[in-house]
Amino acid sequence: GAVVSQHPSRVICKSGTSVKIECRSLDFQATTMFWYRQFPKQSLMLMATSNEGSKATYEQGVEKDKFLINHASLTLSTLTVTSAHPEDSSFYICSAPPSRGTDTQYFGPGTRLTVL
Amino acid sequence: GDSVTQMEGPVTLSEEAFLTINCTYTATGYPSLFWYVQYPGEGLQLLLKATKADDKGSNKGFEATYRKETTSFHLEKGSVQVSDSAVYFCALSNTGFQKLVFGTGTRLLVSP
């Protein structure tokens, strides 16, 4: 079946540095990808919708200058957490539907970010 | 706004026991409802779905019925296996399936 990968699976960084997380669709093209974050014992919260070739759409309350999203190709979206702080420590997950209008989504395995 | 509430875990069962994981939702309109499963080290996978009231989704022995009158979508399985150990997420979508609102997830642990 279709697979979505994320890299890295875990990252530890110092406060103030920037971290880039990649999300790739391995055997299908994704014009849209979604980025979620999950705090311990809480729901996955949608952060933004990544659109190939255009600007991402951010959910209310998500700082677009803090969480930079780039969807430069039909198989790759990146999320950059800029000037990371300990409160940004979380589990980040991406997903991608294989085509428009489908109710199917493929999820990546997630990236655990720890900011010291 | 839309929200999903599901029972806290972990749920610990012996093999062949009956499973119920409760899920209720709050939403405007007529959302589609989903159960996703996440096995250790893997991404979330769609387990089953229902798109309208009274629909029953089923897959791999799991089933859930869309109950509009109680705004619920409880997950059930008659006889769990060790391989069912995973985290189960209830979710809804009001926007054509693609933007999902998730519950907190329930970890299921099945022992031999």
Side-chain angles (χ1 to χ4, degrees):
Chain A
V3 176
V4 172
S5 70
Q6 282 185 241
H7 178 80
S9 57
R10 294 175 186 270
V11 58
I12 300 173
C13 69
K14 293 182 179 180
S15 185
T17 61
S18 294
V19 174
K20 180 184 287 187
I21 302 170
E22 294 184 347
C23 177
R24 293 183 185 271
S25 56
L26 296 185
D27 55 0
F28 66 98
Q29 294 183 331
T31 56
T32 301
M33 292 183 174
F34 299 94
W35 285 97
Y36 296 84
R37 68 187 295 183
Q38 184 181 27
F39 293 104
K41 299 187 178 181
Q42 295 188 28
S43 306
L44 277 77
M45 299 297 294
L46 180 65
M47 299 174 65
T49 303
S50 174
N51 304 298
E52 189 270 335
S54 64
K55 291 183 178 180
T57 305
Y58 290 83
E59 296 299 303
Q60 190 173 9
V62 178
E63 299 175 61
K64 61 181 180 182
D65 295 330
K66 173 91 175 155
F67 299 99
L68 300 179
I69 291 172
N70 185 10
H71 195 149
S73 78
L74 288 171
T75 59
L76 174 64
S77 175
T78 60
L79 169 68
T80 301
V81 183
T82 62
S83 186
H85 291 283
E87 58 266 28
D88 298 323
S89 298
S90 189
F91 195 56
Y92 293 87
I93 301 172
C94 70
S95 71
S99 61
R100 293 182 193 277
T102 177
D103 60 0
T104 298
Q105 283 202 48
Y106 299 112
F107 284 79
T111 297
R112 171 80 56 195
L113 170 63
T114 302
V115 184
L116 302 176
Chain B
D2 297 345
S3 66
V4 174
T5 302
Q6 60 183 107
M7 60 191 294
E8 288 191 26
V11 173
T12 304
L13 296 173
S14 299
E15 205 165 25
E16 300 183 1
F18 184 86
L19 168 71
T20 300
I21 300 178
N22 290 336
C23 171
T24 57
Y25 67 90
T26 302
T28 56
Y30 303 95
S32 295
L33 302 175
F34 307 83
W35 276 100
Y36 280 83
V37 58
Q38 185 175 31
Y39 298 104
E42 300 183 16
L44 277 75
Q45 303 171 26
L46 179 64
L47 179 61
L48 54 84
K49 69 177 190 286
T51 58
K52 61 183 187 294
D54 301 325
D55 268 2
K56 178 184 285 188
S58 61
N59 185 25
K60 301 181 180 180
F62 291 90
E63 58 182 35
T65 301
Y66 189 142
R67 301 285 188 201
K68 188 167 177 61
E69 63 276 15
T70 55
T71 61
S72 65
F73 193 55
H74 304 322
L75 182 68
E76 295 182 337
K77 186 174 185 181
S79 176
V80 294
Q81 305 301 310
V82 173
S83 58
D84 294 327
S85 298
V87 181
Y88 293 82
F89 292 89
C90 186
L92 68 81
S93 176
N94 244 331
T95 55
F97 308 121
Q98 298 198 349
K99 289 178 68 172
L100 293 164
V101 176
F102 284 92
T104 53
T106 301
R107 183 175 298 278
L108 171 65
L109 301 170
V110 181
S111 57

